[in-house]
Amino acid sequence: AAVPTSATAQTLVFEGALLITGEDGPPLEDSVFVAENGRFIAVGKRDEINLDPGTTRINLDGKTVVPAFIDAHSHIGYMHELDSGPQYYTRANILDHMHRFAWYGVAASMAWGTDFGELPFQIRDETVDGLYPAAARFLTAGRGLAPADEIRPDNMRHSAWLIENQADIFPAVADLVANRVPLLKTWVDDRGGQVRKFTPAIYQAIIDEAHRSGLRVVVHATGLQDVKSLLRAGVDGFAHMPAEVDEELMALLAERPEVFFTLALGAPRRNVTAPWLDPVHPLLAATAPPSQLARLQARLTGMSSEARAEAQATWDKLASGIRRLAEARVKIGVGTDGGGQQGDQFIGWTMHTEMENMVAAGMSPAQVLIAATRVSAGIVGLQHELGTVAVGKSADFVVLDANPLEDITNTRSIARVYLRGQEIPRGAMQAAWQRAYEQSAP
């Protein structure tokens, strides 16, 4: 195929890489793909595409290229080094998080239900429009809908819509529609008996009103009976893996193939093993505050044998359920749950550990790469923009020094990251973070 170019367009030809497109099927060996004005205009093998001799060529022999990753489930803006809370929900902190995502090869992340005010919608529009070329797209589900017991001044649900009766649902959904969010987040979890969760009548009313308004509904629910009841009520997705899986659940999922899960496996597996922490992986050391790394190392080292055994049992049950979902081809995306207040998180890095955890649970590297790209793009509503290396889509991709199909941890062998066809300045970004840590050190 001939590559069309214009006299003024910036055209870049990338050739020679093993290209994992994000589509079904084997990767393309000795590939060529072309980016013009931030979009892919040709994708194929080197002998299939005729190139203008005057185009700028970038040799990627020996490299592997994957679509930029997408973190479909996060809580951006709350974590700040050793502390967390609503006081850190600022433009500067949110943008810092989005630059960290991009440094790690993540093109977009969606915050589910913990945003508030006008700021998230402003930053969403700015990052989607490319105002910050080295930042990932910040996506938002706005304010979630929660029962009273979930909402406290110091937690990340502090500004959630308080739903005490069905009449409260209508203004909440209308606000989300007005702010153009693609999905609604809610919670159905008693938190170990500490929370009076929504009744079935309330969450059925939430789902019905959201669907009437064109919104999908994603819910934080891990109890098996709650998950099954929510499926019958028409929920569209789940923020976490259920604590257990049975035949009835699998039958319900077979009837609803459009339902999706993000798994958020960081804490369950980290309490069992975190080989990237001792010693600290160089990629993580490049961006993480040394004080935060030390705190997490101390916490995990100090776990009792009883706590570790309990963590192992929890992980084993989760992994068994994940294998069943994957074998049944249930729709699984990648969501780290990162950036909120559930413990030490490392923005961007947790995308890579989540993929490692999914393979450890029994998924194949190929399944996980599709989950982290194409499936997650669909979950956040950007399937026409991101998720695959395909003609017409934004030229967001990661150049790796090793093949993640052979070992999923090779996603960490990042050589370069491109957003909208432009390489981001990872070296300068890393140097700025390291200077900031040195200046803040006691």
Side-chain angles (χ1 to χ4, degrees):
V3 176
T5 61
S6 67
T8 59
Q10 182 184 27
T11 305
L12 299 175
V13 177
F14 300 86
E15 52 187 348
L18 177 72
L19 176 59
I20 300 170
T21 64
E23 304 282 5
D24 294 328
L28 298 179
E29 297 184 17
D30 197 25
S31 70
V32 168
F33 55 96
V34 184
E36 184 174 280
N37 289 341
R39 296 199 172 270
F40 296 116
I41 64 167
V43 178
K45 292 187 176 182
R46 189 155 12 201
D47 60 0
E48 296 175 343
I49 298 177
N50 299 320
L51 300 171
D52 185 329
T55 54
T56 301
R57 299 190 179 198
I58 299 172
N59 189 311
L60 297 180
D61 286 346
K63 305 294 187 183
T64 299
V65 169
V66 296
F69 307 115
I70 298 161
D71 185 347
H73 168 200
S74 63
H75 300 286
I76 302 306
Y78 287 82
M79 288 294 300
H80 182 69
E81 297 189 13
L82 289 173
D83 202 2
S84 67
Q87 69 271 27
Y88 296 110
Y89 192 88
T90 64
R91 172 177 287 273
N93 199 39
I94 293 171
L95 287 174
D96 178 68
H97 285 185
M98 303 322 292
H99 281 92
R100 290 172 189 270
F101 272 122
W103 193 91
Y104 279 99
V106 179
S109 183
M110 175 174 277
W112 280 4
T114 51
D115 295 321
F116 60 98
E118 294 302 314
L119 181 63
F121 307 114
Q122 294 168 1
I123 297 178
R124 174 197 61 193
D125 294 344
E126 292 166 359
T127 58
V128 168
D129 290 343
L131 185 61
Y132 306 96
R137 295 161 178 81
F138 172 80
L139 309 174
T140 176
R143 295 165 61 188
L145 279 62
D149 291 353
E150 286 279 10
I151 302 172
R152 298 195 312 272
D154 61 341
N155 74 11
M156 63 184 185
R157 295 173 297 281
H158 61 100
S159 287
W161 284 95
L162 172 61
I163 306 299
E164 295 183 301
N165 54 59
Q166 294 190 23
D168 294 333
I169 297 169
F170 302 108
V173 172
D175 176 79
L176 296 175
V177 171
N179 283 299
R180 297 179 286 112
V181 306
L183 53 81
L184 176 157
K185 168 71 180 293
T186 190
W187 292 263
V188 179
D189 189 345
D190 66 5
R191 309 280 186 181
Q194 302 301 306
V195 167
R196 289 168 293 177
K197 61 189 176 185
F198 281 144
T199 64
I202 290 291
Y203 62 67
Q204 182 71 70
I206 290 172
I207 293 168
D208 290 345
E209 180 60 18
H211 287 176
R212 275 193 292 269
S213 301
L215 293 178
R216 294 169 293 154
V217 177
V218 63
V219 63
H220 171 122
T222 58
L224 178 59
Q225 297 309 315
D226 287 331
V227 169
K228 289 191 284 192
S229 180
L230 284 155
L231 279 168
R232 295 187 182 97
V235 75
D236 300 283
F238 293 92
H240 295 272
M241 183 67 195
E244 56 186 312
V245 172
D246 66 7
E247 293 297 332
E248 185 180 28
L249 175 59
M250 296 306 299
L252 288 168
L253 289 171
E255 296 172 0
R256 301 279 313 283
E258 76 281 6
V259 170
F260 60 83
F261 289 81
T262 63
L263 305 180
L265 302 175
R269 181 138 194 273
R270 190 173 63 183
N271 289 333
V272 174
T273 180
W276 44 267
L277 193 59
D278 186 18
V280 176
H281 192 283
L283 196 69
L284 176 57
T287 67
S291 56
Q292 192 177 3
L293 289 167
R295 180 173 70 179
L296 180 57
Q297 287 172 326
R299 183 171 71 78
L300 295 180
T301 301
M303 284 181 65
S304 67
S305 57
E306 293 81 3
R308 203 169 295 280
E310 183 178 348
Q312 183 69 61
T314 298
W315 170 253
D316 290 343
K317 183 180 287 187
L318 282 174
S320 175
I322 291 165
R323 285 192 295 273
R324 293 189 68 178
L325 296 191
E327 289 167 1
R329 303 183 70 83
V330 173
K331 189 178 294 184
I332 298 174
V334 173
T336 66
D337 202 22
Q341 297 178 271
Q342 76 278 31
D344 284 308
Q345 294 288 323
F346 305 103
I347 297 295
W349 167 257
T350 48
M351 184 75 197
H352 296 271
T353 59
E354 186 70 11
M355 289 189 280
E356 178 188 24
N357 295 338
M358 292 165 74
V359 170
M363 295 178 67
S364 72
Q367 287 176 316
V368 170
L369 289 172
I370 287 176
T373 55
R374 190 179 79 207
V375 175
S376 290
I379 290 172
V380 302
L382 287 181
Q383 64 270 24
H384 301 301
E385 182 77 1
L386 299 172
T388 59
V389 177
V391 172
K393 292 195 176 182
S394 182
D396 294 34
F397 59 94
V398 186
V399 181
L400 303 173
D401 288 325
N403 183 354
L405 293 173
E406 297 174 353
D407 182 340
I408 196 63
T409 63
N410 286 337
T411 63
R412 305 169 192 176
S413 65
I414 299 173
R416 307 174 203 167
V417 173
Y418 287 81
L419 298 181
R420 299 177 176 87
Q422 296 295 314
E423 183 179 1
I424 69 170
R426 296 178 74 246
M429 295 162 74
Q430 176 183 338
W433 288 319
Q434 293 297 329
R435 283 195 301 271
Y437 299 148
E438 291 170 3
Q439 292 168 3
S440 64

